[in-house]
Amino acid sequence: MAPIASRATLCVNPKVKKLSTVSQMNESCKQLNKNQGCEFKTKKGLSLLSHRMNNTLMDIEDTVKFGNENKCCPFYGAREALPTVDVCVLPYNLLVVPSARESCGINLKNSVVIIDEAHNLAGAIESCYSVGVTLSALTEAYKQLKLSHLDLIK
């Protein structure tokens, strides 16, 4: 079983975990992997975690504990295990947004999907495909349009 979750939930790197926002954590993780590499994302560690997920039921807490104890990355380890595990547990947004599923390598073809707390699914879909716009943002957009298209707005 592979529990798929955000970096903020699964990361075990103290340098990344200490950052105050999810956005900062995501960027720091990406930069570490782009540059010298994260000490927790090693082939040996990912393989160890993937093997464990294929042979043991692990929830998010178990996965993070295993990552801490074995200095391996639960975020990337869970994703590496995806093609071989029988069960994948993931948040609604990864289920309902096709691009999010694709970025994780989740293929629903020939899969059985079980939705826990299904009464929350409509709200999850709504929040994935909704955007909020403040009055100040609309006012600013109007001002920008007015400046750039003076001849069109009277």
Side-chain angles (χ1 to χ4, degrees), residues 67-80:
N68 278 316
E69 290 171 352
N70 295 278
K71 293 204 177 283
C72 56
C73 178
F75 180 79
Y76 286 106
R79 280 154 176 75
E80 184 168 297

Side-chain angles (χ1 to χ4, degrees), residues 6 20 31 37 40 58 60 65 88 108 111 121 142 145 153:
S6 68
S20 55
Q31 282 300 317
F40 293 87
M58 298 174 70
I60 288 174
K65 182 179 178 188
C88 171
L108 295 179
S111 296
L121 187 58
Y142 177 75
L145 278 171
I153 302 175

Side-chain angles (χ1 to χ4, degrees), residues 142-153:
Y142 177 75
K143 288 177 186 176
Q144 293 296 320
L145 278 171
K146 199 171 176 181
L147 287 173
S148 63
H149 294 89
L150 288 174
D151 55 331
L152 298 175
I153 302 175

Side-chain angles (χ1 to χ4, degrees), residues 16-75:
V16 176
K17 286 297 285 184
K18 73 177 181 181
L19 298 171
S20 55
T21 69
V22 173
S23 178
Q24 289 173 332
M25 292 175 78
N26 287 337
E27 285 308 309
S28 177
C29 176
K30 289 175 187 175
Q31 282 300 317
L32 275 172
N33 286 295
K34 186 178 180 182
N35 297 334
Q36 76 272 18
C38 176
E39 63 186 288
F40 293 87
K41 186 184 173 192
T42 63
K43 282 189 182 244
K44 181 182 175 187
L46 296 181
S47 178
L48 178 68
L49 187 53
S50 180
H51 177 75
R52 178 70 176 245
M53 287 180 177
N54 275 283
N55 294 293
T56 308
L57 286 176
M58 298 174 70
D59 62 13
I60 288 174
E61 291 79 12
D62 296 331
T63 304
V64 171
K65 182 179 178 188
F66 187 86
N68 278 316
E69 290 171 352
N70 295 278
K71 293 204 177 283
C72 56
C73 178
F75 180 79

